[in-house]
Amino acid sequence: MVAAVIGVIRSRNLFVVVILGGIYSFLMATVMVALDAVDVAMTEAAVGAGMSTVLLLAVLGLVKTREAPLRHSPFIPLLVCFLTGAVLIYGTLDLPPFGRQDTPTNQHVAPYYIKNSVKETGSPNIVTAVLASYRGYDTLGETTVIFTGGIGVLILLSTSRRRREKQSSKKDSLT
Amino acid sequence: MSLILASINYWVTIILMIGGLYIVVAHGNMVKKLVGLGIFQTSVYLLFLSPGKILGGTAPIISEKFEVYSNPLPHVLILTAIVVGVATIALGMALVVRINEAYGTIEDDEVHEMEQE
């Protein structure tokens, strides 16, 4: 995965960048299976590796596919990134260790869901039960966000199309 | 050694996160910026999912054969986050297409120069 990210940073060909992004996404999905998050892995493989890659390739059909070389030195961004990384790693020293059941993250509502979800919702898949029943309003909000995003995309693309039609009609009237 | 094993998941997350951040900050090409944004987002998914894993546990689907399940709550949150992430990336790509129509380029610096003129 790290190799894929380095490839994305180094490559100037945008096709290579997009395909490496898809590979990275798919590797992330396999990591998610290893972390027991099977539902998330399925969504990531379908939406992250599939949909995003296809959308990005569709955009590459419309724009230039080579990246211009960097104009300023990458020193300051690198410095900022390494400083951020150092601070974050310092922060991880206080986080709970990996894979233990007695950490605070695994003690709050999760045992309640595991114990009661079959009784209260009738679904053996706890993720489904939480998504559709306990946190149903979150899912409603999520669909609202997607709806807004879809409207935004439609408005942005439709204005450009209208302008192009106007220009072509103007040209027609001139000739 | 135990410290490394206990927080290796966070460190992998941070390395990926820094890679994504570097692409977004240092590179001027907008498609590449979007890919970097995606990498950053995915590393955040890992940050949420990895503390929910319990060693010896199984996927949170109730069955009589298993006793220990991993934490289902991060899975739900990240399912929502993935779909919202695709919505933001789609919106970003629509903006890239519009910028390309208006300026004929998708490089940050060139767009900025045209604005200056």
Side-chain angles (χ1 to χ4, degrees):
Chain A
M1 246 172 3
V2 175
V5 173
I6 291 171
V8 170
I9 295 176
R10 304 286 310 165
S11 173
R12 298 229 168 282
N13 188 335
L14 289 181
F15 275 114
V16 176
V17 167
V18 170
I19 295 300
L20 275 174
I23 292 172
Y24 164 81
S25 208
F26 213 81
L27 285 172
M28 184 57 96
T30 55
V31 170
M32 284 167 178
V33 173
L35 290 171
D36 287 345
V38 281
D39 308 73
V40 186
M42 218 141 56
T43 317
E44 171 71 21
V47 173
M51 270 272 288
S52 306
T53 312
V54 168
L55 282 176
L56 277 166
L57 285 176
V59 170
L60 282 190
L62 298 173
V63 301
K64 267 184 249 161
T65 56
R66 283 206 73 80
E67 187 193 9
L70 290 183
R71 294 201 185 168
H72 38 76
S73 81
F75 178 69
I76 295 173
L78 264 181
L79 188 75
V80 171
C81 289
F82 274 109
L83 274 180
T84 321
V87 171
L88 285 173
I89 285 185
Y90 175 69
T92 61
L93 298 180
D94 285 337
L95 284 175
F98 177 68
R100 298 261 295 279
Q101 197 168 13
D102 51 357
T103 57
T105 41
N106 295 333
Q107 284 302 317
H108 191 48
V109 286
Y112 174 86
Y113 287 147
I114 290 172
K115 222 166 87 193
N116 298 322
S117 68
V118 170
K119 220 187 316 161
E120 288 180 356
T121 65
S123 160
N125 188 337
I126 308 172
V127 175
T128 315
V130 177
L131 191 75
S133 175
Y134 294 109
R135 303 193 72 87
Y137 280 114
D138 276 13
T139 311
L140 182 66
E142 174 200 337
T143 43
T144 318
V145 170
I146 302 165
F147 182 62
T148 319
I151 290 178
V153 171
L154 279 182
I155 290 175
L156 279 170
L157 294 183
S158 69
T159 49
S160 70
R161 195 168 303 143
R162 210 173 299 143
R163 193 166 302 160
R164 213 179 303 142
E165 275 162 15
K166 214 181 278 171
Q167 273 173 356
S168 59
S169 64
K170 215 181 276 173
K171 257 180 226 157
D172 288 343
S173 60
L174 282 176
T175 52
Chain B
M1 190 62 201
S2 65
L3 175 77
I4 296 175
L5 271 184
S7 44
I8 183 105
N9 57 328
Y10 300 119
W11 295 351
V12 171
T13 305
I14 288 169
I15 292 170
L16 296 178
M17 204 179 264
I18 296 303
L21 184 68
Y22 176 74
I23 296 174
V24 174
V25 174
H27 286 268
N29 188 291
M30 289 173 191
V31 172
K32 199 157 177 176
K33 266 185 205 279
L34 281 176
V35 174
L37 199 68
I39 290 174
F40 192 93
Q41 263 175 350
T42 328
S43 75
V44 175
Y45 306 159
L46 200 60
L47 180 71
F48 268 69
L49 288 174
S50 58
K53 164 76 178 166
I54 294 169
L55 289 178
T58 178
I61 298 170
I62 299 281
S63 158
E64 287 162 2
K65 293 181 196 149
F66 299 108
E67 285 288 309
V68 184
Y69 300 100
S70 288
N71 191 343
L73 194 58
H75 301 182
V76 178
L77 300 179
I78 296 309
L79 269 181
T80 311
I82 288 179
V83 177
V84 170
V86 168
T88 48
I89 287 196
L91 197 61
M93 280 186 290
L95 280 171
V96 168
V97 171
R98 279 292 293 129
I99 289 171
N100 186 53
E101 274 175 5
Y103 293 96
T105 176
I106 52 167
E107 298 286 339
D108 244 3
D109 304 330
E110 293 171 15
V111 172
H112 192 66
E113 272 169 21
M114 286 182 184
E115 282 286 299
Q116 298 281 308
E117 280 161 12

